[in-house]
């Protein structure tokens, strides 16, 4: 996948003085132009290694069970606090994932997209504006987020169908025909799911994906700066942390993601770390960001056999 070397990264991932929180795009800007794709994880400094190795105590089992039980409530409260103002519209999506247009067999082909974890529509509405020949299914864990999508002036039932869904247990086929979707986006979504349930999410989306269809993935990568800033008492498990507001975040290695997708019947096409340095203007620090950007496909029966 071609990655832009001139466009700034979207304001979805943000850093402030508190590692559990996130900052606005204006508070972060590139230290150096562009970003780098690599197959190797970022190498930690000795100080960073010491910090990670010192994180041995985990959040209690009782609290972890409570966080899992209240996961939907915590995300609903997140959208109640921030409404539609937190994330910026993702106009970068078609630049980063050329398959959103290139997968058409002919120019006038209607493209069917599923955004799994749509939030308040920061990805789907720029796409609907940019491409008139697209239909979007959009689902989110938070009922409040789905309502914000439906209240958007750009929401049109003839071109978009938004619905609430817990991807770990609700069958997508109740709202999306099986094997009908050309492209599925999974952007900063899987990291919020408990690692034990990630495979269930991938199996779920795989059922509605066409043979030959594409899953486009982008999420937090292993050794991202946000991972290193969590304080004691935030660690839930290996590479898994809880923020102050009760929402959780996992930091992916490419090996784990590839294994999960393979077990869910998806074949890896591309799977790379994206390294980018950003500056936190409040603190005047240049910090390393790490994301994992990947592409998986669903094989047809003849291909899989």
């Amino acid at each position: 996948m071609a990655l832009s070397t001139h466009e700034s990264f979207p304001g979805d991932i943000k850093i402030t003085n508190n590692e559990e929180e996130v900052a606005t795009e204006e508070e972060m800007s590139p230290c150096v132009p562009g970003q780098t794709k690599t197959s190797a994880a970022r190498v930690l400094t000795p100080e960073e290694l010491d910090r990670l190795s010192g994180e041995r105590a985990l959040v209690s089992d009782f609290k972890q069970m409570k966080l899992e039980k209240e996961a939907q409530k915590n995300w609903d409260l997140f959208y109640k606090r921030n409404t539609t103002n937190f994330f910026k519209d993702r106009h970068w999506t078609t630049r980063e994932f050329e398959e959103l247009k290139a997968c058409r067999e002919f120019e006038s082909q209607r493209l069917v997209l599923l955004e799994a974890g749509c939030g308040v529509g920061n990805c789907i509405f720029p796409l609907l504006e940019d491409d008139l020949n697209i239909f979007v299914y959009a689902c989110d864990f938070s009922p409040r987020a789905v309502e914000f999508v439906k209240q958007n002036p750009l929401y049109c039932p003839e071109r978009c169908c938004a619905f609430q869904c817990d991807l770990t247990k609700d069958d997508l086929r109740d709202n999306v025909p099986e094997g009908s979707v050309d492209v599925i986006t999974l952007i900063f979504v899987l990291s919020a799911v408990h690692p034990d349930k990630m495979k269930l999410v991938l199996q779920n989306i795989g059922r509605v994906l066409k043979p030959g269809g594409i899953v486009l993935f982008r999420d937090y990568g292993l050794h991202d700066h946000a991972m290193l800033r969590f304080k004691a008492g935030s660690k839930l498990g290996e590479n898994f942390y809880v923020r102050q507001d009760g929402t959780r975040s996992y930091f992916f290695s490419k090996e784990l993601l590839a294994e999960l997708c393979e077990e869910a019947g998806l074949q890896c096409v591309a799977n790379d770390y994206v390294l980018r340095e950003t500056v936190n203007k409040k603190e005047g620090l240049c910090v390393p960001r790490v994301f994992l950007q990947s592409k998986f496909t669903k094989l047809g029966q003849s291909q899989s056999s």
Side-chain angles (χ1 to χ4, degrees), residues 96-132:
E96 299 287 10
F97 293 115
E98 72 274 13
E99 286 78 7
L100 288 175
K101 289 187 175 180
C103 70
R104 285 188 171 94
E105 295 180 13
F106 49 92
E107 189 174 349
S108 60
Q109 179 182 350
R110 187 192 194 209
L111 194 66
V112 179
L113 173 77
L114 165 65
E115 186 176 15
C118 63
V120 296
N122 298 99
C123 177
I124 63 173
F125 290 121
L127 287 174
L128 287 168
E129 282 188 295
D130 184 62
D131 192 331
L132 297 179

Side-chain angles (χ1 to χ4, degrees), residues 23-76:
T24 64
E25 185 176 9
E26 289 73 23
E27 292 171 336
M28 296 177 62
S29 61
C31 290
V32 293
Q35 53 194 15
T36 303
K37 273 175 56 178
T38 177
S39 59
R42 184 174 79 85
V43 177
L44 295 175
T45 66
E47 292 79 9
E48 290 171 334
L49 280 170
D50 287 343
R51 180 162 188 175
L52 279 184
S53 62
E55 295 178 352
R56 299 185 184 277
L58 300 181
V59 171
S60 69
D61 290 343
F62 173 79
K63 184 176 179 182
Q64 295 217 34
M65 291 176 61
K66 188 172 185 288
L67 288 169
E68 179 66 19
K69 184 178 179 180
E70 297 180 351
Q72 184 181 78
K73 183 184 78 171
N74 288 332
W75 277 109
D76 226 36

